[in-house]
Amino acid sequence: MWFFNSPEICFGEGALSYLAQLHGTRAYIVTDAQMVQFGFADLVKAQLAEADIETRVFAEVEPEPSLDTVRRGAELLRAYEPDWIVGLGGGSAMDAAKAMWALYERPDLSADGISPLEYLGLGKKARLVTISTTSGTGAEATWGIVLSDPQEKRKLGLGSRETLATLAIVDPALASKMPPRLTADTGLDALTHAIEGYAATWRNDFSDGLCLKAVDLVFKHLPTAYAHGDDAEARERMHNAGAIAGLGFINSMCSLAHAMGHSFGGAFHVPHGRCVSLFLPYTMEFAANRGNYRYADIARFIGLDGLGAEQQTRQLIAAVRDLENGLDSNTTVASLGIPRADYAAAMGTLLDHAENDTQIVASPRQPDRAELEKLFWYAYDGKPIDF
Ligand SMILES: [Zn+2]
């Protein structure tokens, strides 16, 4: 038995105006200070005002939102009693909105208790709208929640199928002003979701097509969106790709690159998309070295024409590296300026947190601790390593 979950998705030019058709009384917009500064919060408020929905804004979500922020937000929600919660921004704002929604409806829960094993009974007080202003986290279309626990310097992977938005707005206009670095980081996150979602051991017939399509969209449109941010078609297709990859992986699973990326990002504060895409080709090689050539399907789908599955797999891994280099992204840990000694000092924690990350369970090849350490070192400088 398995499930396929998706919010209602309103996408394309003008999608934001669909907010004016909602029915409700009060909406709490969960976002960050930049979204207010860019005028996006006002755009959302204006649409909701047309629907006679009163609004209030919580603009205190920080990157890598903490448990404390979520708890504080949930208290404000309980005082305001909204019937809509709107998560507006990148993955951080939308994830914070999901967690605050859960704690608003279930004050008895602790934030780290938002898990697939717990019946939450959400939706009695409010519904959730997610509006993405970046193209790639997929958070608008997924129920996953990543929060940080600053005391323990680690990231928490939370969420349950119930923390899926009721409605996701995928309007490319909101992502059209992203600077190139953010475009690349978030777009490569989408690529990692799609490739990992396709290769994960939890893959299934419902998620496969979404993952393939998302990989193809990223290869075709991310270089243009990065180099020519005013290219409307590239922006729109990448905005779609982010949501499609989100749907793909949340109905399958991510795997090793996300486990390593979460662990590394939590320790060294590197943006999520940069981390997971940095580790991606190494983890693909790791799986391929034991004869996992499922990546060959992706290679063929995007038009790589090697002879046989092994060659196609190697071609895809090379294509991922070429794409990342073309986007001036980091393909080694050393290129981020992290000294070898600091990395070595953190290695025990990196391994612990990666091994305990929820995403590791669906890896196409499960590493033992020694192999995981080798992989972390391989990604340090890219010097070939035997595994
Ligand atoms: Zn991701």
Side-chain angles (χ1 to χ4, degrees):
M1 188 172 75
W2 205 245
F3 299 90
F4 182 86
N5 295 99
S6 171
E8 177 176 32
I9 297 177
C10 179
F11 63 94
E13 201 186 323
L16 191 70
S17 65
Y18 183 54
L19 291 177
Q21 296 180 40
L22 298 186
H23 297 275
T25 313
R26 277 188 297 278
Y28 210 118
I29 301 169
V30 177
T31 188
D32 60 53
Q34 271 195 325
M35 293 299 114
V36 174
Q37 197 190 326
F38 294 160
F40 290 158
D42 282 341
L43 290 177
V44 169
K45 280 161 79 175
Q47 294 295 336
L48 291 169
E50 291 214 8
D52 286 328
I53 295 176
E54 194 186 290
T55 48
R56 198 171 281 182
V57 178
F58 177 84
E60 293 166 35
V61 180
E62 72 277 37
E64 305 177 6
S66 67
L67 291 171
D68 281 348
T69 300
V70 164
R71 287 188 199 114
R72 198 170 67 247
E75 264 172 46
L76 294 169
L77 286 175
R78 285 195 281 273
Y80 186 58
E81 299 194 322
D83 48 7
W84 283 102
I85 296 165
V86 180
L88 168 70
S92 298
M94 291 186 284
D95 281 8
K98 293 172 201 170
M100 285 163 54
W101 178 35
L103 297 188
Y104 165 51
E105 300 225 10
R106 287 287 306 273
D108 57 306
L109 268 188
S110 68
D112 48 9
I114 306 169
S115 100
L117 306 173
E118 183 90 25
Y119 169 70
L120 303 175
L122 302 188
K124 295 188 179 72
K125 293 184 184 171
R127 287 173 288 174
L128 175 70
V129 183
T130 44
I131 306 174
S132 179
T133 61
T134 61
S135 305
T137 71
E140 66 277 24
T142 69
W143 49 258
I145 301 170
V146 179
L147 299 180
S148 67
D149 182 345
Q151 276 90 40
E152 293 190 33
K153 281 193 170 178
R154 69 187 187 111
K155 295 202 170 181
L156 301 165
L158 310 171
S160 94
R161 294 204 315 281
E162 291 185 64
T163 50
L164 189 71
T166 316
L167 167 68
I169 301 279
V170 182
D171 187 329
L174 297 175
S176 63
K177 298 284 183 275
M178 276 193 295
R181 191 69 261 140
L182 187 59
T183 301
D185 286 345
T186 52
L188 288 172
D189 190 21
L191 179 77
T192 311
H193 293 155
I195 291 179
E196 293 212 285
Y198 191 78
T201 55
W202 294 9
R203 70 202 176 223
N204 57 78
D205 289 346
F206 288 79
S207 59
D208 277 356
L210 293 162
C211 292
L212 287 174
K213 181 66 185 176
V215 176
D216 194 47
L217 286 170
V218 171
F219 271 101
K220 284 200 175 100
H221 299 288
L222 181 54
T224 309
Y226 174 70
H228 307 286
D230 55 355
D231 187 303
E233 190 195 350
R235 287 294 197 189
E236 179 166 2
R237 305 300 289 279
M238 276 309 301
H239 210 47
N240 292 344
I244 293 168
L247 278 182
F249 91 79
I250 201 67
N251 288 291
S252 164
M253 190 66 158
C254 279
S255 58
L256 198 48
H258 265 76
M260 295 173 75
H262 284 154
S263 171
F264 175 75
F268 291 99
H269 303 289
V270 176
H272 171 81
R274 191 107 44 98
C275 295
V276 297
S277 61
L278 188 160
F279 291 110
L280 176 67
Y282 300 100
T283 62
M284 292 168 75
E285 268 185 71
F286 178 68
N289 285 359
R290 278 292 159 83
N292 188 319
Y293 303 139
R294 185 168 160 82
Y295 304 111
D297 297 350
I298 305 176
R300 287 192 299 275
F301 191 78
I302 66 168
L304 301 174
D305 58 357
L307 289 175
E310 179 172 4
Q311 197 184 357
Q312 289 158 358
T313 294
R314 303 288 171 195
Q315 279 182 321
L316 181 66
I317 296 168
V320 168
R321 290 206 161 99
D322 285 350
L323 178 69
E324 293 180 357
N325 284 323
L327 300 170
D328 310 305
S329 200
N330 296 92
T331 52
T332 63
V333 172
S335 72
L336 288 161
I338 293 167
R340 185 178 281 273
D342 293 3
Y343 195 59
M347 188 53 68
T349 309
L350 290 177
L351 293 170
D352 288 346
H353 290 174
E355 282 184 320
N356 288 320
D357 193 278
T358 48
Q359 306 292 323
I360 204 167
V361 297
S363 298
R365 177 181 166 193
Q366 238 2 282
D368 61 27
R369 194 173 171 91
E371 287 169 332
L372 191 58
E373 184 169 0
K374 276 189 181 178
L375 257 176
F376 268 116
W377 279 114
Y378 183 24
Y380 183 76
D381 53 16
K383 286 207 183 102
I385 210 160
D386 180 27
F387 52 56

